[in-house]
């Protein structure tokens, strides 16, 4: 939110502390799409390359907007690092809700994309960012807190019952919590990287 107060461009991109643009040409590729974006388009995104804790590429995440738009109410499925937000999105829908410590991006996207007039564009075959696993999202306790915040955001925007995808996600987190207790943090991360491969 502090950065949003200082941003002066038409489009805004968020990168995590250890995220990085996947190639030197990413921004040039994005600009071509941003110039062509219709006025109603508030978000332009590609894929994010998920990296192991050791920095090895595992697989890209991100899919076409019609698929993402259908899933967004059920789960955070927008690869947010490297996504471009039109600056007036924040004028229209507000800034990040700071009561969401982990899932603030999800809550903000739900807030904006519950409006039928808001549009997004997916750029196929463009990996925008490398994102290392092994940080907050790989820690089962943090993942549990993130899922609880996602549920809080879903309730805020009228989903009264948890979806089966959310329940499956919670089940996986509890399995990971048990595994972390049995084998420890370092071995747990190695097993998780192996499962992702």
């Amino acid at each position: 939110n502090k950065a949003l107060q200082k941003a002066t461009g038409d489009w805004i991109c968020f990168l995590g502390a250890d995220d990085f643009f996947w190639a030197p040409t990413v921004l040039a590729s994005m600009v071509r799409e941003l110039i062509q974006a219709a006025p109603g388009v508030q978000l332009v995104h590609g894929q994010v390359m998920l990296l192991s804790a050791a920095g090895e590429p595992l697989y890209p995440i991100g899919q076409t907007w019609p698929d993402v738009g259908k899933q967004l109410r059920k789960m955070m499925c927008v690869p947010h690092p490297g996504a471009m937000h039109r600056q007036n999105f924040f004028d229209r829908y507000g800034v990040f809700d700071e009561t969401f410590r982990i899932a603030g991006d999800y809550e903000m996207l739900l807030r904006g994309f519950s409006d039928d007039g808001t549009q997004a564009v997916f750029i196929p075959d463009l990996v925008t960012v490398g994102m290392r696993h092994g940080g907050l999202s790989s820690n089962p306790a943090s993942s549990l807190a993130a899922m609880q915040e996602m549920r809080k955001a879903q309730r805020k925007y009228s989903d009264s019952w948890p979806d089966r995808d959310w329940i499956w996600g919670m089940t996986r987190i509890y399995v990971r919590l048990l595994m972390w207790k049995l084998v420890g943090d370092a071995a747990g991360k190695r097993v998780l990287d192996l499962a992702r491969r």
Side-chain angles (χ1 to χ4, degrees):
N1 286 340
K2 289 177 183 176
L4 283 171
Q5 293 171 14
K6 296 182 180 296
T8 59
D10 295 332
W11 292 88
I12 298 173
C13 175
F14 298 95
L15 286 178
D18 63 345
D19 299 339
F20 57 92
F21 287 116
W22 191 243
T25 56
V26 165
L27 288 176
S29 299
M30 291 294 279
V31 165
R32 284 193 294 273
E33 298 293 332
L34 301 178
I35 289 170
Q36 297 174 33
V41 171
Q42 297 292 309
L43 178 76
V44 176
H45 69 97
Q47 292 183 307
V48 168
M49 182 61 71
L50 191 62
L51 307 172
S52 71
E56 303 160 338
L58 295 172
Y59 52 85
I61 55 174
Q63 52 190 330
T64 64
W65 183 255
D67 294 332
V68 168
K70 290 176 196 167
Q71 294 295 317
L72 188 59
R73 285 192 170 274
K74 301 174 184 179
M75 194 64 87
M76 176 55 162
C77 51
V78 176
H80 197 242
M84 296 288 182
H85 298 265
R86 200 181 288 272
Q87 200 280 334
N88 65 15
F89 178 92
F90 301 98
D91 297 334
R92 189 172 175 183
Y93 298 108
V95 297
F96 290 92
D97 180 342
E98 294 179 23
T99 64
F100 289 83
R101 303 301 298 168
I102 301 173
D105 51 356
Y106 181 60
E107 187 279 336
M108 186 259 308
L109 289 170
L110 275 180
R111 188 181 342 140
F113 287 96
S114 60
D115 178 350
D116 290 337
T118 306
Q119 302 166 35
V121 169
F122 172 73
I123 306 170
D125 304 319
L126 178 66
V127 174
T128 57
V129 167
M131 182 177 76
R132 187 184 312 270
H133 252 277
L136 200 61
S137 60
S138 290
N139 180 310
S142 297
S143 296
L144 183 60
M147 290 293 285
Q148 290 166 339
E149 282 196 6
M150 281 193 275
R151 188 71 198 118
K152 177 182 167 186
Q154 290 165 355
R155 283 194 306 269
K156 186 174 177 181
Y157 296 101
S158 82
D159 263 352
S160 56
W161 294 97
D163 178 84
R164 67 178 176 197
D165 293 335
W166 185 87
I167 293 168
W168 174 240
M170 287 295 282
T171 303
R172 287 186 0 228
I173 289 169
Y174 280 114
V175 168
R176 284 170 50 200
L177 276 168
L178 179 62
M179 182 177 67
W180 250 245
K181 285 187 180 187
L182 292 174
V183 301
D185 187 57
K189 287 179 181 175
R190 285 195 300 273
V191 170
L192 192 57
D193 278 351
L194 183 62
R196 288 189 176 114
R197 281 192 191 95

